[in-house]
Amino acid sequence: MPVPKTETAFPWIGLVTLAGAIFVTVTSEFLPTGLLPQMAEGLNVSQAQVGLLITVFAATVVVSAAALTNFTRRFPRKPLILIVLVAFALTNFLGAIAPTYEFMVATRVLGGLAHGLFWAVVGAYPGHLVPQRQLARAVAITSAGGSAAFVLGVPAGTAIGHALGWRLAFVAMGAVILVFTALVVKFVPAVEHRQPVKTGEIPLPLRRDPTLPGVILVGMITLTIMVGHNLFYTYIVPYFTDVNGFPVGAVSALLLVYGIAGAGGLILVGVVGGRLPRLGLFAGVLFVAISALAIGLLPTEQWLVMVALVVWGAALGGIPALLQTRALHTASPQLRDLSSALVTTSFNIGIGGGAFVGALLLDGPGLRSLPFVDAAVMVGVLALLLVSDRTIRNRSARRPSIPFS
């Protein structure tokens, strides 16, 4: 039986294990990013079409996450995590044997279905494990799995794909997911996610929850950030080689540098994110814009590109945790699972939309336009933050238990 979170010590082992589960699922989602040329050749399609596999994956999440979360709202959370992890492993094994591009698209749809439900459950899990004052730290720990995916997962998958072929990279990914599934069985505590109804109280419909508009606003900010980021990052490998002039053999190292910087940004969020969430988010978006602009203006200055890549990774690395923390702070207890699903949907609209916009730019103005469009979108995000911040703060002020500063 789940133990009330107020009676337990900080659940380090469970949160770290959840971070590991996030690590393998994020790596699975973005594995095609580092293998664009090999997959394009193997499936006899263009690199833009391989990039659209990210869009297909994300679009599936968008149309299914909220519905699946609502459908499974009474289902125990831990068994649900295990089911979706097994589904993730299956999609990778199927992807490894994909005979055609259309078959690969089908595996990405299945992966998107699992991913949307996975993030809705895991994104809200820290809110069920720890009290509200510890949310920033708990979310930073679980979010470290996403950063680790860019530090280790995607570069390792890219290296395996280059050395042994992209199909074996998918096989290895599926096997690692099964290992982490076993770890979740052992180390992640069960939780009671359903809120008890007091005697005589009439449960408020979710659509009438007063915190819903604030969660939707966080989702809009999330969506816009991810569109800007992914229209460039999805196609960063050909940009490195064709525009920056880096050799193909350096791609894995560059992705590793980016990922390590992202981990550093996430650590910073874990240390100060609970105290300065607004400033951290604003600064992160600003530095992403500056980095993209620097890469676009001086693409052949490889030393500058490296510096900008580090700044970009560090700035972007902390943004997802800050957004997820803001959503959990904004949402009422009964809305937390759904708020996590809405934020996940926003992430994936942004991921898929960014990959789609990037594909259009790739076939239109070309690779060199990507960083400039990224920077322009981030400037728009800064304006959205300035306009929307007062709304979120006013809602937080009417709910004293929510720290938002």
Side-chain angles (χ1 to χ4, degrees), residues 148-199:
F150 294 106
V151 174
L152 299 174
V154 176
T158 301
I160 292 173
H162 288 173
L164 303 176
W166 65 269
R167 294 184 185 275
L168 284 181
F170 276 87
V171 171
M173 190 71 256
V176 172
I177 290 173
L178 290 180
V179 170
F180 275 93
T181 303
L183 293 176
V184 170
V185 172
K186 176 69 175 178
F187 295 114
V188 174
V191 295
E192 178 52 67
H193 67 290
R194 289 168 290 190
Q195 294 297 312
V197 178
K198 298 178 182 179
T199 302

Side-chain angles (χ1 to χ4, degrees), residues 197-212:
V197 178
K198 298 178 182 179
T199 302
E201 180 180 351
I202 300 175
L204 188 68
L206 295 182
R207 67 179 180 277
R208 294 179 57 190
D209 191 299
T211 65
L212 182 58

Side-chain angles (χ1 to χ4, degrees), residues 100 133 136 147 165 180 197 206 246 267 292 348 359 374 384:
T100 64
R133 60 186 172 80
S147 292
F180 275 93
V197 178
L206 295 182
F246 289 106
I267 291 171
N348 283 276
D374 182 5
L384 180 60

Side-chain angles (χ1 to χ4, degrees), residues 27-52:
T27 301
S28 176
E29 178 180 9
F30 287 99
L31 192 58
T33 300
L35 301 173
L36 280 176
Q38 292 83 1
M39 292 183 67
E41 181 179 356
L43 295 172
N44 196 29
V45 295
S46 68
Q47 291 188 33
Q49 285 176 285
V50 176
L52 287 176

Side-chain angles (χ1 to χ4, degrees), residues 279-319:
L279 179 60
L281 184 57
F282 191 91
V285 173
L286 176 62
F287 281 114
V288 169
I290 292 172
S291 302
L293 192 60
I295 292 173
L297 289 174
L298 297 169
T300 59
E301 298 292 334
Q302 293 186 350
W303 68 270
L304 179 61
V305 172
M306 291 286 291
V307 171
L309 190 66
V310 170
V311 175
W312 181 14
L316 202 285
I319 287 176

Side-chain angles (χ1 to χ4, degrees), residues 51-399:
L52 287 176
L53 290 174
I54 304 294
T55 301
V56 169
F57 190 101
T60 305
V61 174
V62 169
V63 300
S64 66
L68 286 175
T69 301
N70 186 57
F71 181 74
T72 60
R73 66 186 184 278
R74 299 186 182 279
F75 199 87
R77 302 291 91 178
K78 182 175 176 178
L80 204 53
I81 293 176
L82 299 176
I83 290 171
V84 295
L85 284 174
V86 171
F88 261 118
L90 177 62
T91 64
N92 280 274
F93 293 136
L94 291 175
I97 62 171
T100 64
Y101 178 74
E102 291 75 17
F103 189 95
M104 179 62 77
V105 168
T107 70
R108 299 298 284 180
V109 170
L110 179 60
L113 291 172
H115 189 75
L117 187 55
F118 174 84
W119 268 106
V121 176
V122 174
Y125 222 85
H128 301 306
L129 282 176
V130 302
Q132 194 160 2
R133 60 186 172 80
Q134 295 178 332
L135 268 179
R137 187 207 293 181
V139 171
I141 292 170
T142 56
S143 297
S147 292
F150 294 106
V151 174
L152 299 174
V154 176
T158 301
I160 292 173
H162 288 173
L164 303 176
W166 65 269
R167 294 184 185 275
L168 284 181
F170 276 87
V171 171
M173 190 71 256
V176 172
I177 290 173
L178 290 180
V179 170
F180 275 93
T181 303
L183 293 176
V184 170
V185 172
K186 176 69 175 178
F187 295 114
V188 174
V191 295
E192 178 52 67
H193 67 290
R194 289 168 290 190
Q195 294 297 312
V197 178
K198 298 178 182 179
T199 302
E201 180 180 351
I202 300 175
L204 188 68
L206 295 182
R207 67 179 180 277
R208 294 179 57 190
D209 191 299
T211 65
L212 182 58
V215 172
I216 292 174
L217 191 54
V218 175
M220 291 175 59
I221 295 170
T222 302
L223 185 155
T224 312
I225 290 173
M226 298 312 293
V227 165
H229 170 66
N230 284 281
L231 68 86
F232 187 17
Y233 184 80
T234 302
Y235 305 98
I236 194 63
V237 171
Y239 196 92
F240 281 152
T241 57
D242 298 349
V243 179
N244 297 141
F246 289 106
V248 174
V251 168
S252 295
L254 291 169
L255 292 176
L256 180 62
V257 167
Y258 175 88
I260 292 173
L266 184 60
I267 291 171
L268 186 62
V269 168
V271 174
V272 302
R275 297 192 296 271
L276 300 169
R278 287 190 300 119
L279 179 60
L281 184 57
F282 191 91
V285 173
L286 176 62
F287 281 114
V288 169
I290 292 172
S291 302
L293 192 60
I295 292 173
L297 289 174
L298 297 169
T300 59
E301 298 292 334
Q302 293 186 350
W303 68 270
L304 179 61
V305 172
M306 291 286 291
V307 171
L309 190 66
V310 170
V311 175
W312 181 14
L316 202 285
I319 287 176
L322 288 170
L323 291 168
Q324 187 65 48
T325 301
R326 180 177 289 207
L328 290 176
H329 278 168
T330 303
S332 66
Q334 75 156 351
L335 198 64
R336 277 180 175 163
D337 282 5
L338 184 58
S339 73
S340 186
L342 290 174
V343 171
T344 298
T345 298
S346 299
F347 265 107
N348 283 276
I349 291 175
I351 291 169
F356 179 73
V357 171
L360 294 178
L361 293 170
L362 201 64
D363 291 336
L367 271 174
R368 291 180 181 270
S369 68
L370 300 185
F372 295 106
V373 179
D374 182 5
V377 172
M378 292 302 167
V379 170
V381 172
L382 293 175
L384 180 60
L385 284 172
L386 290 174
V387 171
S388 64
D389 212 38
R390 175 179 288 273
T391 300
I392 297 180
R393 290 192 71 186
N394 287 344
R395 289 184 174 274
S396 297
R398 292 195 294 270
R399 300 174 64 211

